[in-house]
Amino acid sequence: MTTPPDNPVDRRFNAARNRHLMAFYTVRKAHDRHRDLVNNAIEANRQGARDWSALGRRWLQQPTDIAGLLRDAAEATANARARSAALFQEWLQGVRDLRP
């Protein structure tokens, strides 16, 4: 004996299944977004380390060039702030994307 599609029990089970599927897809989407954000944060930190090590290398090669050292330090700091702002913006976008 088959049950008709408008059976209240079937509707309740379908509704419960749909809620669980929505929760599953939300968790999956959050995981993907978090993974991308973490990878971008790691890459931003790597780039910052490259910038500051290049600054140290230039200072060791030309220790008397104080103006150049300060200019390069200001540039490295500005780049670090821009990367931090971009990561924060990406995080906010991820939070907005997860909202229903």
Side-chain angles (χ1 to χ4, degrees):
M1 178 173 156
T2 61
T3 58
D6 286 342
N7 186 349
V9 173
D10 288 340
R11 279 186 281 154
R12 287 185 191 217
F13 277 107
N14 285 338
R17 186 188 64 207
N18 288 340
R19 280 194 302 270
H20 287 107
L21 286 175
M22 289 295 292
F24 171 75
Y25 289 127
T26 302
V27 168
R28 176 177 274 176
K29 190 173 181 180
H31 172 265
D32 292 342
R33 175 65 67 173
H34 180 68
R35 184 191 63 227
D36 294 342
L37 180 67
V38 167
N39 287 339
N40 289 341
I42 289 169
E43 188 54 40
N45 283 326
R46 284 182 182 163
Q47 185 60 42
R50 286 185 206 114
D51 289 350
W52 286 104
S53 63
L55 176 69
R57 194 175 309 115
R58 280 191 296 259
W59 179 61
L60 288 174
Q61 291 171 351
Q62 298 174 346
T64 58
D65 186 18
I66 300 298
L69 176 68
L70 292 176
R71 182 183 60 246
D72 292 342
E75 184 179 334
T77 302
N79 289 340
R81 285 183 180 176
R83 284 190 295 271
S84 295
L87 284 172
F88 182 67
Q89 216 170 17
E90 184 179 348
W91 178 79
L92 280 178
Q93 183 64 36
V95 169
R96 268 189 250 134
D97 288 348
L98 287 176
R99 296 185 83 192

